[in-house]
Amino acid sequence: MATIPWLVDVLRSAGVQVVVEGDWLNRMRPGSFDPIGVLWHHTAATSSASNPHPALNICINGRSDLPGPLCQALVDYHGVFHVISAGRCNHAGTARASGPIPAGDGNTMLIGWEIDYNGVNQEMTAAQYNASVAATAAVLKRLGKDSSYARGHRETSTTGKIDPSFIDLNVMRADVAAKMAGGPVWSSIVDNATAGRFTASTNWGTSSYSGQRYGADYRFADPVLASDAAWYKFNVPAAGSYRVEAWWPANAGYNSATPYIIATSSGNQTVTVDQRATGGQWRTLGTFSLPAGDANRVAVSRWSSAAGLIIADAVRLTRV
């Protein structure tokens, strides 16, 4: 049976932080293992900064209904790769065809990352995503495959799996391709405190109440049926497709229908989010066509009929 004893060295060479979990070279399931691709999962456990890898023990030792190991590596809240196995693992089951991956035994064909987040009201952290992209790019290079060989479990599952939640897998593959090509992926963050990049009227207050904030503080305002948006200005390097993400601290007293306005190449588009939940992390608003140039690109609007404070914290653009 083949193994991948080169995994740790390949990950570390790609700049990924690695923790080796015990006798990973000899921890594996019986059966064939001849990987041609990488499969992304989420664990369904809730991770945090203080509890970054709650599913690690299960991924190593398995469950009553499924013996471990359950993946080649677990990716914790901070983006650290905990390498568990160099061989076959119970992570993919029977696979249906997806992209260049044929139907068949997924545990034979695929190397699995279990990304430790719950996938229901928690998405992967930026550190988890960036480390997983770097690791996937490095492993696919080692296998001699392109980014199309990176798949999500929901793409190959024959039993209706939903993982990994809250990411666009086509965007993931584009990011892996860019990483493999060695070219930088343009990304920019504007916080409410970024000088010359954030503008809001005096109706917007400033608070540091929530520990889920991005940076030192954030802005807040009451909802009103009038135009009084807080704007984020970006110097977009070239016309193209950009992923737009927002960060807000969540609170039960915040607004359940907060409008974000994206100034796209074809006009303004509005995305409504619930700021009562899923705070303290990047949340994807969508991928949009943006023109080049230095201009206001994203706004948080006060125009909401829902009760609760409107929050303006941080916005991130990433070219895809």
Short mmCIF file of all heavy atoms in Angstrom, two decimals, residues 192 198 200-209 217-223 228 230 249 254 275 300 302 308-313:
data_model
loop_
_atom_site.label_atom_id
_atom_site.label_comp_id
_atom_site.label_asym_id
_atom_site.label_seq_id
_atom_site.Cartn_x
_atom_site.Cartn_y
_atom_site.Cartn_z
N ASN A 192 -12.96 50.16 9.79
CA ASN A 192 -13.57 51.46 10.06
C ASN A 192 -12.55 52.49 10.53
O ASN A 192 -12.82 53.70 10.51
CB ASN A 192 -14.68 51.32 11.10
CG ASN A 192 -14.16 50.86 12.45
OD1 ASN A 192 -13.91 49.68 12.62
ND2 ASN A 192 -14.01 51.76 13.41
N PHE A 198 -12.37 54.99 5.04
CA PHE A 198 -13.70 54.77 5.61
C PHE A 198 -14.34 56.13 5.89
O PHE A 198 -13.72 57.01 6.48
CB PHE A 198 -13.60 53.98 6.91
CG PHE A 198 -14.92 53.75 7.60
CD1 PHE A 198 -15.72 52.66 7.28
CD2 PHE A 198 -15.37 54.63 8.58
CE1 PHE A 198 -16.93 52.46 7.91
CE2 PHE A 198 -16.59 54.43 9.21
CZ PHE A 198 -17.37 53.35 8.88
N ALA A 200 -18.10 58.00 7.22
CA ALA A 200 -19.44 57.85 7.79
C ALA A 200 -19.84 59.17 8.42
O ALA A 200 -18.99 59.94 8.88
CB ALA A 200 -19.46 56.74 8.83
N SER A 201 -21.12 59.43 8.46
CA SER A 201 -21.61 60.66 9.05
C SER A 201 -21.48 60.63 10.57
O SER A 201 -21.17 59.59 11.17
CB SER A 201 -23.08 60.87 8.67
OG SER A 201 -23.91 60.01 9.44
N THR A 202 -21.75 61.76 11.20
CA THR A 202 -21.68 61.85 12.66
C THR A 202 -22.79 61.06 13.35
O THR A 202 -22.79 60.92 14.57
CB THR A 202 -21.74 63.31 13.10
OG1 THR A 202 -22.93 63.91 12.58
CG2 THR A 202 -20.52 64.08 12.60
N ASN A 203 -23.72 60.54 12.57
CA ASN A 203 -24.77 59.69 13.15
C ASN A 203 -24.24 58.32 13.57
O ASN A 203 -24.91 57.59 14.29
CB ASN A 203 -25.91 59.50 12.14
CG ASN A 203 -26.62 60.79 11.83
OD1 ASN A 203 -26.89 61.58 12.72
ND2 ASN A 203 -26.94 61.01 10.56
N TRP A 204 -23.06 57.99 13.07
CA TRP A 204 -22.45 56.69 13.39
C TRP A 204 -21.55 56.85 14.61
O TRP A 204 -20.58 57.61 14.59
CB TRP A 204 -21.63 56.19 12.22
CG TRP A 204 -22.43 55.76 11.02
CD1 TRP A 204 -22.95 56.56 10.05
CD2 TRP A 204 -22.80 54.43 10.68
NE1 TRP A 204 -23.62 55.83 9.11
CE2 TRP A 204 -23.55 54.50 9.47
CE3 TRP A 204 -22.59 53.18 11.26
CZ2 TRP A 204 -24.07 53.37 8.85
CZ3 TRP A 204 -23.10 52.05 10.65
CH2 TRP A 204 -23.84 52.15 9.46
N GLY A 205 -21.87 56.12 15.69
CA GLY A 205 -21.03 56.13 16.88
C GLY A 205 -19.88 55.15 16.77
O GLY A 205 -19.77 54.38 15.81
N THR A 206 -19.01 55.16 17.77
CA THR A 206 -17.86 54.28 17.83
C THR A 206 -17.90 53.47 19.12
O THR A 206 -18.20 54.01 20.18
CB THR A 206 -16.55 55.08 17.77
OG1 THR A 206 -16.53 55.86 16.58
CG2 THR A 206 -15.33 54.16 17.79
N SER A 207 -17.61 52.17 19.01
CA SER A 207 -17.66 51.29 20.18
C SER A 207 -16.55 50.26 20.12
O SER A 207 -16.15 49.83 19.04
CB SER A 207 -19.01 50.58 20.27
OG SER A 207 -19.03 49.67 21.36
N SER A 208 -16.09 49.85 21.30
CA SER A 208 -15.16 48.72 21.42
C SER A 208 -15.75 47.67 22.36
O SER A 208 -15.03 46.85 22.92
CB SER A 208 -13.80 49.20 21.94
OG SER A 208 -13.95 49.84 23.21
N TYR A 209 -17.07 47.69 22.49
CA TYR A 209 -17.76 46.81 23.45
C TYR A 209 -17.53 45.33 23.16
O TYR A 209 -17.24 44.55 24.05
CB TYR A 209 -19.27 47.13 23.42
CG TYR A 209 -20.12 46.14 24.16
CD1 TYR A 209 -20.20 46.16 25.55
CD2 TYR A 209 -20.86 45.17 23.47
CE1 TYR A 209 -20.99 45.24 26.24
CE2 TYR A 209 -21.65 44.25 24.15
CZ TYR A 209 -21.70 44.29 25.54
OH TYR A 209 -22.47 43.38 26.20
N ASP A 217 -11.92 48.91 17.29
CA ASP A 217 -13.31 49.31 17.53
C ASP A 217 -14.13 49.11 16.26
O ASP A 217 -13.64 48.57 15.26
CB ASP A 217 -13.38 50.78 17.99
CG ASP A 217 -12.65 51.73 17.07
OD1 ASP A 217 -12.66 51.51 15.84
OD2 ASP A 217 -12.06 52.72 17.55
N TYR A 218 -15.39 49.56 16.31
CA TYR A 218 -16.28 49.47 15.16
C TYR A 218 -17.29 50.60 15.27
O TYR A 218 -17.36 51.30 16.29
CB TYR A 218 -16.98 48.10 15.09
CG TYR A 218 -17.68 47.69 16.38
CD1 TYR A 218 -19.04 47.93 16.57
CD2 TYR A 218 -16.97 47.04 17.39
CE1 TYR A 218 -19.68 47.55 17.75
CE2 TYR A 218 -17.60 46.66 18.57
CZ TYR A 218 -18.95 46.92 18.75
OH TYR A 218 -19.57 46.54 19.91
N ARG A 219 -18.08 50.80 14.23
CA ARG A 219 -19.06 51.88 14.19
C ARG A 219 -20.46 51.29 14.29
O ARG A 219 -20.72 50.15 13.87
CB ARG A 219 -18.90 52.70 12.91
CG ARG A 219 -17.48 53.25 12.69
CD ARG A 219 -17.07 54.25 13.76
NE ARG A 219 -17.83 55.49 13.64
CZ ARG A 219 -17.46 56.50 12.85
NH1 ARG A 219 -16.36 56.41 12.11
NH2 ARG A 219 -18.20 57.59 12.79
N PHE A 220 -21.39 52.08 14.82
CA PHE A 220 -22.77 51.62 14.96
C PHE A 220 -23.72 52.78 14.76
O PHE A 220 -23.38 53.95 14.97
CB PHE A 220 -22.99 51.00 16.35
CG PHE A 220 -22.88 52.00 17.48
CD1 PHE A 220 -24.00 52.68 17.95
CD2 PHE A 220 -21.65 52.27 18.07
CE1 PHE A 220 -23.91 53.60 18.98
CE2 PHE A 220 -21.54 53.19 19.10
CZ PHE A 220 -22.68 53.86 19.56
N ALA A 221 -24.95 52.45 14.33
CA ALA A 221 -25.99 53.47 14.13
C ALA A 221 -27.35 52.80 14.20
O ALA A 221 -27.49 51.61 13.91
CB ALA A 221 -25.81 54.19 12.80
N ASP A 222 -28.35 53.57 14.55
CA ASP A 222 -29.72 53.07 14.53
C ASP A 222 -30.20 52.93 13.09
O ASP A 222 -29.80 53.71 12.22
CB ASP A 222 -30.65 54.03 15.28
CG ASP A 222 -30.41 54.01 16.78
OD1 ASP A 222 -30.24 52.91 17.32
OD2 ASP A 222 -30.39 55.10 17.39
N PRO A 223 -31.07 51.96 12.83
CA PRO A 223 -31.66 51.86 11.49
C PRO A 223 -32.59 53.03 11.23
O PRO A 223 -33.22 53.56 12.15
CB PRO A 223 -32.43 50.53 11.55
CG PRO A 223 -32.75 50.34 12.99
CD PRO A 223 -31.60 50.93 13.76
N ASP A 228 -27.99 56.90 4.59
CA ASP A 228 -26.88 57.38 5.43
C ASP A 228 -25.89 56.24 5.58
O ASP A 228 -25.72 55.67 6.65
CB ASP A 228 -27.41 57.84 6.79
CG ASP A 228 -26.31 58.43 7.67
OD1 ASP A 228 -25.27 58.84 7.12
OD2 ASP A 228 -26.49 58.45 8.91
N ALA A 230 -22.30 54.08 5.49
CA ALA A 230 -20.87 54.14 5.79
C ALA A 230 -20.12 53.44 4.66
O ALA A 230 -20.41 52.29 4.33
CB ALA A 230 -20.58 53.45 7.12
N PRO A 249 -19.04 42.23 14.61
CA PRO A 249 -19.30 41.55 15.87
C PRO A 249 -20.79 41.27 15.98
O PRO A 249 -21.62 42.10 15.61
CB PRO A 249 -18.85 42.57 16.92
CG PRO A 249 -19.01 43.89 16.26
CD PRO A 249 -18.76 43.66 14.79
N TYR A 254 -28.34 43.40 17.76
CA TYR A 254 -27.97 44.04 16.50
C TYR A 254 -29.03 43.75 15.44
O TYR A 254 -30.02 43.05 15.69
CB TYR A 254 -26.59 43.59 16.05
CG TYR A 254 -25.46 44.08 16.94
CD1 TYR A 254 -24.19 43.53 16.88
CD2 TYR A 254 -25.67 45.11 17.86
CE1 TYR A 254 -23.16 43.98 17.70
CE2 TYR A 254 -24.65 45.56 18.69
CZ TYR A 254 -23.39 44.99 18.60
OH TYR A 254 -22.38 45.44 19.40
N GLN A 275 -26.87 40.51 11.43
CA GLN A 275 -25.73 40.81 12.30
C GLN A 275 -25.94 40.36 13.75
O GLN A 275 -25.12 40.65 14.61
CB GLN A 275 -25.41 42.30 12.24
CG GLN A 275 -24.86 42.74 10.89
CD GLN A 275 -24.37 44.17 10.89
OE1 GLN A 275 -24.92 45.04 11.57
NE2 GLN A 275 -23.32 44.42 10.12
N VAL A 300 -22.11 49.98 4.18
CA VAL A 300 -23.11 49.45 5.10
C VAL A 300 -24.19 50.51 5.22
O VAL A 300 -23.92 51.65 5.61
CB VAL A 300 -22.51 49.14 6.49
CG1 VAL A 300 -23.58 48.53 7.39
CG2 VAL A 300 -21.33 48.21 6.38
N ARG A 302 -27.89 52.16 6.55
CA ARG A 302 -28.81 52.19 7.70
C ARG A 302 -30.25 51.92 7.27
O ARG A 302 -31.14 51.84 8.12
CB ARG A 302 -28.74 53.56 8.39
CG ARG A 302 -27.39 53.88 9.02
CD ARG A 302 -27.38 55.29 9.59
NE ARG A 302 -28.39 55.44 10.65
CZ ARG A 302 -28.82 56.63 11.09
NH1 ARG A 302 -28.37 57.75 10.53
NH2 ARG A 302 -29.72 56.68 12.06
N GLY A 308 -32.74 47.05 15.87
CA GLY A 308 -31.38 46.69 16.28
C GLY A 308 -30.33 47.52 15.59
O GLY A 308 -30.51 48.00 14.46
N LEU A 309 -29.22 47.70 16.26
CA LEU A 309 -28.14 48.53 15.74
C LEU A 309 -27.55 47.97 14.45
O LEU A 309 -27.37 46.76 14.31
CB LEU A 309 -27.03 48.67 16.78
CG LEU A 309 -27.36 49.47 18.05
CD1 LEU A 309 -26.21 49.38 19.04
CD2 LEU A 309 -27.66 50.92 17.70
N ILE A 310 -27.21 48.86 13.54
CA ILE A 310 -26.46 48.53 12.32
C ILE A 310 -24.97 48.69 12.65
O ILE A 310 -24.55 49.70 13.21
CB ILE A 310 -26.83 49.48 11.17
CG1 ILE A 310 -28.34 49.45 10.90
CG2 ILE A 310 -26.01 49.19 9.93
CD1 ILE A 310 -28.82 48.30 10.10
N ILE A 311 -24.18 47.70 12.27
CA ILE A 311 -22.75 47.70 12.58
C ILE A 311 -21.92 47.83 11.31
O ILE A 311 -22.19 47.16 10.30
CB ILE A 311 -22.35 46.41 13.32
CG1 ILE A 311 -23.19 46.22 14.58
CG2 ILE A 311 -20.85 46.42 13.65
CD1 ILE A 311 -23.09 47.33 15.59
N ALA A 312 -20.90 48.69 11.36
CA ALA A 312 -19.92 48.81 10.28
C ALA A 312 -18.54 48.55 10.87
O ALA A 312 -18.05 49.37 11.66
CB ALA A 312 -19.99 50.19 9.63
N ASP A 313 -17.93 47.44 10.52
CA ASP A 313 -16.62 47.10 11.08
C ASP A 313 -15.57 47.03 9.98
O ASP A 313 -14.92 48.02 9.69
CB ASP A 313 -16.71 45.80 11.87
CG ASP A 313 -15.53 45.60 12.82
OD1 ASP A 313 -14.55 46.36 12.72
OD2 ASP A 313 -15.58 44.69 13.66
#
